[in-house]
Amino acid sequence: MKEDEFKTWLAEGGAQSEAGRKTRAYAVRGIESKLAGLGSPYVDLDVAWRADRFAHLRQRLKEMQEDFLAGGSDYRMLMPQSEKPLNRLASWRSWLGQYGQFLSGEQRGERDADRIRRHVLETYIEPARENERETVEVLVRDVNDALGLKDSWPDICQALCGRKFLEMADVPFPGRIGADQSSATRFCYDLVRPSFSDQIEAGTEVEQQPMRRPTNLILYGPPGTGKTYATAHEAVQLCDGNAPYSDDEMGRRDLMKRYRELKAEGRLDFVTFHQSYDYESFVEGMRPETGNEEGGIGFRLEVNLGIFREICALAEQARTRPIRAAADSELDLAGRQFWKMGLGTIGSEDDVYENAVAENYIALGWSGAEDWSEGRFASMEAIKAHWLSKERESAVPSNWTQTHKFRNEMKRGDIVIVPYGNSAFRAVAEVQGNYEFDSSTDGYYSHRRNVRWLLTLDEPLPLDTIVDGNFTMRTLYQLPGKRINTPALSRLLSGEAVPISPNSLAETPQQFVLIIDEINRANISKVFGELITLLEPDKRLGMPNALTLTLPYSKKDFGVPANLHIIGTMNTADRSIALLDTALRRRFAFREMAPKAELLGTIDGIDLKSVITTINDRIEYLVDREHRIGHAFFMGCANRDEVDAVMRDKVIPLLQEYFFEDWSRIRAVLGDGFIGKRMIKAPPGIDGGDRESWIVRDSFTEDAYTRLLSNKASSAEVNTPAEDQLNEPQGDAA
């Protein structure tokens, strides 16, 4: 055993005390001294690690725990004086795993995630075991504060229920108490139940997660009240739990950073409804697709998924996926090569894909019964020459290019994406082996490489969730790294993203959010169609009264997952409000977003709080409260020129729409410092009185805002000196 080096490695990782380091080294040394009694054929731990990564020794320690529970005393081989060895054996298993990390060359203490795991292990888990406790709770906020981290609760939640920590601490999946992934989250670890590694060894797969109630929310209010602005906070909170972002500029920046991260991962999407929006764009429709194989002509109609079906598919995959032993919770995609590779023709060669998944390989069918294993085929020139020497008449460039890519260019560690048509995918694998030839298949997909399947899907997912653009018809080709949506692919491949066990307390899968801006501007019945019933919270997939229906184009059985939340915004001043379907009203909660005058201050002597309050009082008197002016129009104004620009370019045009060009009422709201009037005489030969002509002043009067706040100024019928200047020929008025 490399005892001194191991202690140094522990110290570099910040192990709490010298005594703690000595305790770990003592335990590992004790295991090494009893290798023969433990049934290990190896001379020391270094050799045992190289042989099986301590699998045999960890199994023996587990068997000792089971023997003790059955009344046996096998544990005395390692702990002759102990009367309560159960938790101590669990700690020794954990420390043996740490020695394995040391032997593997893993660095200590370089990342916050490692600091988090070590802190919880040494501060919570190990003391609880020493005190013979059956459970231990960890409050995320306490960990954040103890380590001096800044609002790192999402990282802490991720680390403490991830595969790496569960293996290191040798504990089962934790239960969750409180909010969904927030600083107030409390993880509860059961130190008595079978550990994570025991569950994996037993082949346990995670059951479907219990659901929290989905949110259907519409933010409604007059224009400029920050409805769309508020959707970012609502969406992040629904995805991450309580979102502790301040209301200042720094907090907004951090919030939007997280918003963009969630969008890149595919957990959040945004769409704006309009009058032409329809079911085919939102749910699914038929679209023409053309092939680009050599000699291919014509087109075919394929089902095209709309934004709603796409995010539903992603949410359902996250809701139902199990964690398997093959999952790698921290798969690093940096520097990888990515490949598109078809596995058999869909429909007629499904056996190729099914066999490949079952036996952990990928197979190429282009290269016939020729074995390309020999070293002389290490270049494309050699492969091409051999093809032409054997089948000159029938050989085409695809023969040698596809063979060369599969045999020579594809490397171990490369990521392979298996398509389902040109716009969807059904599996992702990591290449584990070199080219092999299987002679038993008589040339039927005989060319193979061993892989580790990272993701296999019962229902294919839209390709644009992980790859920019569609696939082409070629069987095998490399995908440029810039086309890969790495955050979204990492989320799909992450075993850490769904930390749940059949016995956990309150775990939920990842949450997804669809934001629908201007939801009342589309014909809701036309857009949602038969799906309107499926939006009800209790009828979502995963809820007690879950419903599904058959979609008209794809003929697929479809339901809306409970981990998908929908946030809509609705402008109450929009004339299309009458189109809001009553059925939608019943299925959504409505939250009013009213103007907040208190958010506005004084700029260059203009009391904006009083200005917007006065304008809104007059609008509400003349029309109704739904047509008020929002505070957001003036947010960000730094001087009078900018305030004037808002009044001229936003507020006055909006009032023109509200009052249908009735300028006398606009003047009643704003006063005569913004609006000018002159009289137009009847043309010669026309009998009639003078008529009013209204304009927006080129330059607002110096006291325009003071006069707006005065009741007299807003109702005056006499010309002011400023208006007298307007009593000139019409062409001179500006």
Side-chain angles (χ1 to χ4, degrees), residues 345-365:
T345 303
I346 297 172
S348 61
E349 293 181 326
D350 290 338
D351 60 302
V352 175
Y353 171 73
E354 294 166 359
N355 292 337
V357 170
E359 300 181 26
N360 298 313
Y361 65 78
I362 53 176
L364 182 67

Side-chain angles (χ1 to χ4, degrees), residues 238-309:
L238 286 168
C239 286
D240 290 344
N242 292 335
Y245 298 101
S246 59
D247 293 331
D248 57 18
E249 182 178 350
M250 183 72 71
R252 183 67 184 184
R253 186 183 66 184
D254 293 341
L255 173 69
M256 294 310 296
K257 178 183 177 183
R258 179 57 180 156
Y259 178 94
R260 288 187 288 271
E261 290 172 349
L262 290 168
K263 197 170 189 309
E265 293 174 10
R267 293 178 58 191
L268 185 156
D269 218 333
F270 185 101
V271 62
T272 300
F273 277 6
H274 52 80
Q275 287 87 344
S276 299
Y277 209 72
D278 56 17
Y279 180 92
E280 286 72 17
S281 301
F282 190 60
V283 184
E284 67 171 20
M286 303 299 291
R287 295 288 187 273
E289 296 286 343
T290 58
N292 63 343
E293 288 182 295
E294 295 182 17
I297 59 174
F299 69 91
R300 63 197 178 281
L301 290 176
E302 288 189 357
V303 175
N304 181 74
L305 304 190
I307 188 173
F308 186 69
R309 257 207 76 186

